[in-house]
Amino acid sequence: MSYQLDYLDQLESEAIYIMREAAGQFERPALLFSGGKDSITLVHLALKAFRPGKFPFPLVHIDTGHNFQEALDFRDKLVAETGEQLIVRNVGDTIRKKGLKETTGKLASRNALQTFTLLDTIEEFEFDACIGGARRDEEKARAKERVFSVRDEFGGWEPKKQRPELWNIYNGKISKGENVRVFPISNWTELDVWNYIKREGIELPKIYFSHEREILEYEGQLIANSEFIRRDVGDVITRKKVRYRTVGDMTCTAAVESNAITLDEIIAEISATRISERGETRIDDRISEAAMEDRKVNGYF
Amino acid sequence: MDLLRFITAGSVDDGKSTFIGRLLYDSKNILTDQLEALMRQSRTTSYADIDLALLTDGLRAEREQGITIDVAYKYFSTPKRKFIIADAPGHIQYTRNMITGASNSDCIIILIDARNGVIEQTRRHSIIASLLKIPHVVVAVNKMDIVGYSQEVYENIIGDYKKLAAELGLPDVYYIPISALKGDNIIEQSADLSWFNGDPLLTHLENVEVHKANSNGPSRFSVQYVIRPQAEEHHDYRGYAGRISSGRYKKGDSVQILPSGFTSVIKAIEVNRKEVEEAFAGQSVVIHLEENIDISRGDAIVKTDEQPRIENNFDVLLCWMDNQQLTPGNKYILQHGSRRVKAIVKDIAYKLDVNTLEQQPSPASAGLNDVIRATIKTAEPLSFDSYQNLPANGTAILIDQTSNMTVGACLIQ
């Protein structure tokens, strides 16, 4: 018998360890679920960490109202299959209730407005920890964030005041009003997630695989034609074979042209690509050099 | 494929961030859009002039000041191995952030500026490496291009370092001359350094032995969470979930629960929801026992004949990480794995000068970044091993009861 773990086994064991720490340390944790591959991976890891028991947390979806229908259908199917609790809160409701101003423009995104709904939801249910699928390889502000990331009463991240995080000891002690964002797959890369999905046979929404779709080409990015984007005179909508590398809002995730219909083909394409996940598909990160840091300081995931 | 976690340490101008940028760039782990962003920020259109440091300094304040404040984690892989780099600050005021990065590393790369040789920071980083017992050390003498690739300069520096390594008892040190800026000896051997016969740095990193979770050590497992489904079909199910930190567990093993001292026998072990005959260090598992005993989060389950120490009074090497001073008599919460107990720091035996290794006896207090030897008393007995014997079960942190900050890192002696 070999007593060594392969690197994917090591990452998996670490993620389960972190989830169980969250379950053990907090009274009211929640798992933030978006319908994307990273949060689907988290649900798979939670099954491994807690079955045959129930999850010690509900799944929470902050719904911008701009989702891909396929992701919503997948979410509902997953919830039905696992029998776990799902809480949905709508950004549209927050906008109406608080009189927030919607962003305007061609690809008006509710990405930043999500933070308001998230913070309200945390307050409503008194969540003391939110488990999320962020990874350090995604972006350079994320690369600096701890696995247990303490947020103040306003959800804000203070990069200069981060607690030292040593060995495998996670300090989730907080005062009332504060909460902790917990990132079990911090140390996974995009490719690790895909390899794990393949190894474990994890099911994903169909839009991750090649399909035909109406596409608007805008500033070099392939945007799904939908009611959420502004269509102008002169826009050319074409049908293309595409897949999604990340799944967020229809207004802020772009597709990539692809014929890949299997996980092997997707992994081969991602291994060969010379463009990063966020660079290729996240429209919201292009705004400024410190876009992510600024959003995190303001409470963003 | 396996995984190597390493940390890079160096002082402000040793070119540490440039070095990491070079490693990622030359191993083709920087993607086109990231490169374009770097070129934009470096205000250059030439690949040769890119400021590779901008790649790792992810915070606005770091880019403004041109220094690394907190640890950044970077990921890359070669066909042989997957790597996690902890890019840690070198400044003394950020020593606690460096220790954060070092605590999970199998290897440390200490950069030395060829113009300056072994300096105070080199000593401090090496002392920290030796305190934390990082298994492998690489001493990379950087900026060789500026000193004309002189073998004499290099030999003098490593001669100095060898004395330090002997003094600290560093077990495995690899010496290499490099130029991060020019890419010499990073991925490929350099023609300008033809007098050097060793492997280029990346080749060395691909081959250095990774710290294997210690499955031959004594059995150590601490309960993180108790799984009790309370459903009809799993009526009697009671599983103790946690990760094995050392050794192996088998069905039928006689075990003892600590600190209570109750004994039982392992009825079943699950890994990934499947029952297994045996589980080992590194695995997250669920353990079932024959007897129904009161066991909760933080309790340890060990084989009866592989006992750890169980004490409520012990010595630690403590790195103080808070702006507020530590004074003997202060009370904290001590966290060891999943277990939290109240603790008092009783006496400080000495303060260790991390630049010179000198011991200053009985200081009145300890301040930020001080390393001291102290006696700790806990409200309940703690089961542990000394860091020397079993690092995986010999560490703890101190948490301030009012601010909840992590204020101290303990290596139990």
Side-chain angles (χ1 to χ4, degrees):
Chain A
M1 181 163 175
S2 150
Y3 296 105
Q4 299 307 332
L5 293 177
D6 171 63
Y7 86 95
L8 270 184
D9 290 324
Q10 286 183 45
L11 293 176
E12 178 191 59
S13 180
E14 178 181 78
I16 291 172
Y17 177 83
I18 293 163
M19 278 212 184
R20 287 171 172 167
E21 275 306 288
Q25 290 197 29
F26 299 101
E27 281 172 36
R28 270 183 290 278
L31 189 150
L32 295 186
F33 185 80
S34 70
K37 66 179 189 316
D38 297 319
S39 58
I40 292 169
T41 299
L42 286 186
V43 171
H44 183 81
L45 290 162
L47 289 167
K48 291 196 172 201
F50 303 111
R51 281 294 185 257
K54 282 256 180 215
F55 292 179
F57 38 71
L59 309 183
V60 172
H61 184 211
I62 303 301
D63 185 350
T64 57
H66 290 174
N67 290 293
F68 289 93
Q69 189 55 44
E70 293 90 336
L72 295 178
D73 293 345
F74 186 91
R75 174 195 78 188
D76 294 340
K77 190 170 119 212
L78 188 70
V79 167
E81 280 168 6
T82 56
E84 295 295 339
Q85 188 196 354
L86 172 72
I87 293 169
V88 180
R89 286 295 177 269
N90 295 295
V91 176
D93 292 344
T94 316
I95 291 172
R96 271 190 299 281
K97 232 177 355 199
K98 290 199 145 65
L100 300 177
K101 195 171 166 317
E102 290 247 30
T103 5
T104 52
K106 187 157 189 69
L107 302 174
S109 163
R110 284 177 165 176
N111 189 277
L113 294 170
Q114 276 185 89
T115 303
F116 292 91
T117 314
L118 173 62
L119 297 181
D120 284 356
T121 310
I122 288 172
E123 215 174 287
E124 179 186 351
F125 294 94
E126 296 179 45
F127 291 132
D128 47 6
C130 295
I131 303 166
R135 308 187 320 264
R136 285 173 176 156
D137 80 320
E138 283 179 73
E139 202 279 334
K140 60 187 179 184
R142 287 210 196 279
K144 295 263 167 186
E145 196 166 7
R146 303 282 189 254
V147 172
F148 271 39
S149 179
V150 179
R151 303 299 183 92
D152 63 21
E153 277 189 85
F154 306 96
W157 178 52
E158 293 184 77
K160 280 192 172 176
K161 287 194 190 163
Q162 296 202 94
R163 295 174 181 176
E165 194 165 71
L166 299 129
W167 303 290
N168 56 351
I169 306 174
Y170 297 101
N171 173 7
K173 273 189 81 66
I174 46 172
S175 309
K176 205 162 167 50
E178 294 176 331
N179 72 87
V180 177
R181 309 286 164 91
V182 176
F183 303 115
I185 58 169
S186 284
N187 285 326
W188 300 38
T189 63
E190 181 191 18
L191 211 49
D192 295 336
V193 173
W194 282 107
N195 281 319
Y196 186 71
I197 285 169
K198 184 187 152 201
R199 187 184 89 169
E200 300 286 307
I202 299 171
E203 214 186 314
L204 291 180
K206 292 192 297 269
I207 51 175
Y208 277 108
F209 302 91
S210 176
H211 59 285
E212 221 180 87
R213 176 181 289 277
E214 282 190 358
I215 290 290
L216 167 71
E217 236 176 287
Y218 181 70
E219 293 184 351
Q221 304 236 19
L222 308 180
I223 315 295
N225 184 24
S226 75
E227 57 188 296
F228 309 121
I229 64 171
R230 193 186 71 212
R231 274 156 294 190
D232 299 306
V233 183
D235 280 356
V236 184
I237 309 269
T238 50
R239 288 193 75 81
K240 281 190 191 302
K241 286 206 116 174
V242 296
R243 66 176 167 79
Y244 283 87
R245 198 168 157 188
T246 64
V247 169
D249 281 3
M250 296 189 82
T251 52
C252 72
T253 22
V256 292
E257 268 195 286
S258 168
N259 289 315
I261 51 169
T262 65
L263 286 170
D264 280 322
E265 287 166 357
I266 290 172
I267 289 169
E269 282 189 5
I270 291 172
S271 308
T273 186
R274 301 306 302 152
I275 304 179
S276 76
E277 186 181 23
R278 289 203 156 251
E280 186 166 50
T281 66
R282 285 301 175 120
I283 297 158
D284 41 333
D285 279 350
R286 298 192 149 189
I287 306 157
S288 88
E289 188 48 39
M292 177 64 84
E293 182 179 347
D294 292 345
R295 275 182 287 154
K296 274 182 178 288
V297 166
N298 289 319
Y300 184 75
F301 210 77
Chain B
M1 191 149 69
D2 61 13
L3 179 63
L4 178 76
R5 297 179 197 239
F6 68 92
I7 177 172
T8 50
S11 55
V12 181
D13 297 317
D14 289 344
K16 180 174 53 65
S17 299
T18 310
F19 164 73
I20 292 173
R22 172 61 65 185
L23 200 55
L24 296 176
Y25 179 62
D26 284 2
S27 62
K28 308 214 172 5
N29 280 281
I30 299 182
L31 301 171
T32 316
D33 58 312
Q34 295 167 328
L35 202 58
E36 280 167 6
L38 283 179
M39 290 169 82
R40 246 192 341 265
Q41 292 159 44
S42 314
R43 298 176 206 286
T44 176
T45 48
S46 136
Y47 285 82
D49 297 332
I50 290 175
D51 183 356
L52 289 166
L54 293 170
L55 195 69
T56 53
D57 289 338
L59 300 175
R60 195 188 285 276
E62 294 179 319
R63 286 191 296 275
E64 282 166 5
Q65 298 171 43
I67 58 164
T68 309
I69 293 172
D70 209 336
V71 193
Y73 295 90
K74 288 281 158 192
Y75 303 80
F76 76 104
S77 55
T78 68
K80 278 189 104 164
R81 193 168 257 184
K82 199 182 138 67
F83 298 92
I84 301 181
I85 314 175
D87 175 23
H91 246 246
I92 187 149
Q93 73 183 109
Y94 304 121
T95 297
R96 61 177 197 168
N97 294 338
M98 182 197 159
I99 293 179
T100 291
S103 71
N104 284 316
S105 295
D106 305 313
C107 176
I108 180 167
I109 299 179
I110 295 175
L111 287 166
I112 295 178
D113 187 327
R115 295 168 302 179
N116 305 330
V118 175
I119 57 169
E120 194 175 281
Q121 296 218 29
T122 319
R123 290 185 65 88
R124 187 171 66 250
H125 297 153
S126 305
I127 288 169
I128 289 169
S130 84
L131 290 176
L132 291 174
K133 292 164 69 72
I134 299 176
H136 308 284
V137 177
V138 174
V139 172
V141 180
N142 191 21
K143 304 195 183 179
M144 288 302 294
D145 54 314
I146 303 182
V147 298
Y149 297 102
S150 157
Q151 183 173 6
E152 195 191 339
V153 170
Y154 172 75
E155 295 291 347
N156 282 338
I157 292 172
I158 70 166
D160 286 347
Y161 195 91
K162 280 177 179 164
K163 282 179 222 150
L164 178 63
E167 188 186 346
L168 297 175
L170 295 176
D172 173 39
V173 186
Y174 183 72
Y175 298 92
I176 184 169
I178 63 166
S179 165
L181 191 68
K182 306 285 179 196
D184 294 303
N185 258 348
I186 305 292
I187 307 292
E188 281 168 13
Q189 250 147 1
S190 155
D192 291 318
L193 294 165
S194 54
W195 46 263
F196 176 76
N197 297 319
D199 284 335
L201 195 81
L202 185 63
T203 314
H204 177 73
L205 293 177
E206 284 183 320
N207 293 313
V208 72
E209 194 198 329
V210 266
H211 164 75
K212 308 267 188 329
N214 188 2
S215 53
N216 293 319
S219 54
R220 299 291 180 259
F221 172 88
S222 145
V223 177
Q224 289 184 275
Y225 186 81
V226 182
I227 300 177
R228 282 191 300 125
Q230 292 170 315
E232 204 47 54
E233 50 189 306
H234 298 289
H235 192 68
D236 294 324
Y237 189 102
R238 177 188 277 265
Y240 303 105
R243 186 164 62 167
I244 300 173
S245 60
S246 164
R248 303 171 205 167
Y249 290 83
K250 259 203 195 82
K251 205 170 144 172
D253 280 343
S254 294
V255 292
Q256 188 161 31
I257 317 309
L258 300 172
S260 70
F262 290 120
T263 55
S264 187
V265 171
I266 293 181
K267 185 164 77 179
I269 304 175
E270 289 173 82
V271 176
N272 292 332
R273 300 168 67 189
K274 280 191 213 73
E275 218 180 300
V276 295
E277 275 304 308
E278 188 178 23
F280 54 90
Q283 289 186 305
S284 281
V285 303
V286 179
I287 291 180
H288 299 260
L289 300 179
E290 291 289 356
E291 276 82 11
N292 245 337
I293 313 172
D294 174 20
I295 298 178
S296 49
R297 178 176 157 80
D299 287 350
I301 301 177
V302 303
K303 289 193 212 168
T304 316
D305 51 359
E306 296 176 356
Q307 294 281 331
R309 284 160 61 188
I310 304 164
E311 293 163 25
N312 62 356
N313 217 338
F314 47 86
D315 271 19
V316 298
L317 266 187
L318 173 63
C319 175
W320 193 248
M321 301 182 145
D322 201 35
N323 291 316
Q324 207 149 6
Q325 286 200 332
L326 164 72
T327 315
N330 284 8
K331 293 190 181 109
Y332 300 94
I333 293 164
L334 179 141
Q335 186 175 341
H336 170 256
S338 307
R339 185 136 192 264
R340 284 190 186 143
V341 290
K342 286 192 180 145
I344 303 179
V345 177
K346 291 207 311 191
D347 310 301
I348 305 181
Y350 59 80
K351 188 192 284 190
L352 189 72
D353 186 323
V354 288
N355 295 321
T356 63
L357 269 187
E358 272 166 36
Q359 296 178 4
Q360 178 202 333
S362 310
S365 64
L368 180 66
N369 295 320
D370 279 346
V371 175
I372 57 168
R373 184 174 175 123
T375 308
I376 285 184
K377 185 173 185 210
T378 54
E380 297 157 58
L382 197 70
S383 75
F384 61 85
D385 295 274
S386 72
Y387 189 76
Q388 188 73 22
N389 289 342
L390 192 60
N393 199 36
T395 60
I397 60 170
L398 293 180
I399 301 171
D400 186 287
Q401 284 176 291
T402 51
S403 71
N404 295 321
M405 279 297 283
T406 300
V407 291
C410 305
L411 305 175
I412 305 176
Q413 300 299 296

